[in-house]
Every structure is written in structure tokens, then in C-alpha cells.
Amino acid sequence: TKYKKIKFQDSNFYFDENIKYKNDEEKKEFNIFQTKPGARAFFYEGVLKDINVNFYGYEKEIKLEPPNYPIDQRGLTGCLSLIHMNVKNISIKSNNSSCEDSVNLINVEGSLGKIDITDSYKDALDIDFSEVDIDYINIVSAGNDCVDLSKGNYKLNRLNLLNCGDKGLSVGEKSFLQLNEIIIEKSIIGISSKDSSIVTVENLNIKGSEKCLESKRKKQEFSGGILNIKNLNCHDSIIFNEIGSFINRENI
């Protein structure tokens, strides 16, 4: 895949031949359209601010595994990625994504208003090596995890996650997460904290999950996971922690 490049704000926008885009300055929207499954676009280096980025995925039914799946030749897993960037007051919307990740943030610092993702082929939101503050994340229908965080520092205000094919929220590889409020409906596992990660949650409501919470070690080079929860409602689904991992609950 060959990528074209344009300058946008103080960043570079790269896109392959099956991506079209339109910048609406009046509405402060940057709209990206995927004309074939698996097409990729990404912002690389610099600063993005005061903009809504909307990714419109390929809408027709995908009968075969999408091309470039799960990783294209640049090592990208996201249909839309932000890489090595500083962000301020941006929001991201994505629907009908046909990649391993709908939205992937890698080495990103700063603040985001809202992330809204519907109908993801596999993971909806994947964030790695980042330090971000996000006000609201709304995710509906992901084939795999709704939110996957690794190797970073994260502050999230509100999460609303519905129909996650595997985990609602997965936190791993020495991540630190402070979370104010999360609602998860219909997932296999609600929240998973693993591999030296520490997750602190103020208010948590998980329904329709086979396993409400889990804390464990998955990779040998890390220790277990820690989950600290203040107000918890699991609706009678199970809570699991391995020896060497901890789930600390104030109120049940």
C-alpha cells in the first residue's frame, strides 16, 4: 500500500488510495471515508487541536477477511491511527471499521473530549504508550475488546460500553488508569487488569457479562494486576483474581 500525505494543522495526514477525505473548516470537522475494507489513514507527529475527526468505514457487508489484516506493511493495526502526537480538545468518531483496531492511539499525549465508535470488526479503541485524558468514551458493538489500554498513563471520566465481543475494558503492560464512571453491558469479561497494571475506578456498573472483573498476570515479564474499586455493581456475575493479583473493593 502506498500512502499519500498532506499537511493538516501542525501534523501530517497519511492515507492510502482507498481513502477519501474532506476538511470542513466551518464545522471544525475532518471527515475520512473508507471506500474499500481495510483501507488505512493516520496522523503522524505534531499537534492536532480543536477538531472533530470522523472516520466513515466501508458500509457494505464484508464477506472475506479485510485486506491488510491484521497488520499492514507499516505495522499499522488501526483503520484510523494517531502516532507520536500531541492533542488538545479533539474528538473522534468512527463507524463500520474493518481493521484489527477501529481507532489506535500510539505515543499520544494530551486531552480528548469524546470518542464515539460503533460497529468495529475487532477492537474498537486501542491506546498504547500514551498519556491521555479523555472525557467520554461511547462504544457500541465490537467484535473483540471495546477498549484496550497498554503501557501508559490514562485518566478517563466516563465510559459507556455495549456489546463487546470479548472484554469491555482491558488494561495491561504496566498501565496506570484512573476512571470515574463506567457502564458495561453485554461482554464476556467486564474489566481485566493485568501485567503490572493498576486500575482505580470510582463507580462501576457491569451487567450481562460472564465475568464481571478479573485481575491476573498474562506475560511472564510482568507481575499481576491490581483493581481498586469504590462503588461496584456486578449484577451477580463472577469476580476472579489470580494469586499475586489483587481486587480491592470498598463497597459492594
Side-chain angles (χ1 to χ4, degrees):
T1 314
K2 284 191 174 173
Y3 284 90
K4 296 174 188 166
K5 174 179 121 171
I6 62 157
K7 191 90 177 144
F8 181 72
Q9 289 192 2
D10 295 320
S11 181
N12 298 299
F13 177 64
Y14 290 79
F15 56 101
D16 74 24
E17 61 192 4
N18 298 311
I19 292 282
K20 296 199 172 356
Y21 68 90
K22 185 184 176 196
N23 179 27
D24 188 328
E25 285 186 20
E26 201 175 298
K27 288 185 178 172
K28 292 190 172 177
E29 284 184 353
F30 191 86
N31 298 308
I32 303 162
F33 305 91
Q34 191 184 50
T35 60
K36 282 194 178 170
R40 303 278 208 273
F42 64 96
F43 291 93
Y44 182 69
E45 292 188 333
V47 180
L48 264 191
K49 63 180 181 181
D50 305 322
I51 189 85
N52 297 324
V53 179
N54 301 319
F55 185 92
Y56 298 96
Y58 183 76
E59 288 196 359
K60 295 174 189 163
E61 188 185 348
I62 300 165
K63 296 200 167 78
L64 299 169
E65 196 167 86
N68 299 325
Y69 183 84
I71 298 172
D72 79 345
Q73 92 261 15
R74 278 178 175 254
L76 294 176
T77 55
C79 275
L80 171 64
S81 302
L82 276 64
I83 307 163
H84 292 295
M85 295 195 62
N86 213 296
V87 295
K88 188 179 178 187
N89 187 32
I90 73 162
S91 289
I92 296 171
K93 195 172 185 177
S94 163
N95 59 32
N96 298 309
S97 122
S98 51
C99 304
E100 172 72 10
D101 305 321
S102 291
V103 176
N104 190 195
L105 309 184
I106 306 165
N107 272 308
V108 172
E109 284 186 17
S111 65
L112 296 97
K114 185 176 181 184
I115 296 180
D116 203 327
I117 302 173
T118 51
D119 296 325
S120 299
Y121 185 68
K122 290 293 182 187
D123 288 356
L125 175 63
D126 196 326
I127 312 181
D128 309 295
F129 306 105
S130 295
E131 191 159 332
V132 289
D133 193 323
I134 305 172
D135 184 49
Y136 182 50
I137 297 171
N138 184 58
I139 291 170
V140 178
S141 296
N144 199 42
D145 297 344
C146 278
V147 179
D148 191 340
L149 309 176
S150 59
K151 294 181 182 162
N153 281 294
Y154 304 104
K155 277 181 90 170
L156 310 179
N157 182 25
R158 281 192 307 138
L159 272 74
N160 202 351
L161 314 176
L162 174 64
N163 283 336
C164 310
D166 187 10
K167 294 180 264 307
L169 171 62
S170 175
V171 186
E173 298 189 10
K174 208 172 184 182
S175 287
F176 300 92
L177 167 62
Q178 277 188 293
L179 171 57
N180 184 27
E181 181 186 353
I182 183 166
I183 297 169
I184 301 172
E185 283 190 59
K186 297 181 186 164
S187 62
I188 307 278
I189 297 164
I191 297 181
S192 177
S193 175
K194 54 189 178 289
D195 297 337
S196 306
S197 295
I198 301 173
V199 176
T200 302
V201 186
E202 193 74 18
N203 300 296
L204 188 156
N205 192 339
I206 297 178
K207 39 188 154 173
S209 295
E210 290 176 24
K211 196 187 283 180
C212 181
L213 306 173
E214 71 169 18
S215 189
K216 65 179 190 178
R217 180 171 80 163
K218 190 176 174 186
K219 298 180 177 173
Q220 288 302 114
E221 63 268 34
F222 296 102
S223 57
I226 296 172
L227 253 170
N228 301 313
I229 293 166
K230 193 167 182 185
N231 299 304
L232 168 65
N233 190 343
C234 274
H235 297 272
D236 299 323
S237 71
I238 60 174
I239 292 171
F240 168 81
N241 67 288
E242 283 182 352
I243 292 170
S245 293
F246 302 93
I247 296 176
N248 305 312
R249 292 166 283 172
E250 279 189 37
N251 303 310
I252 302 172

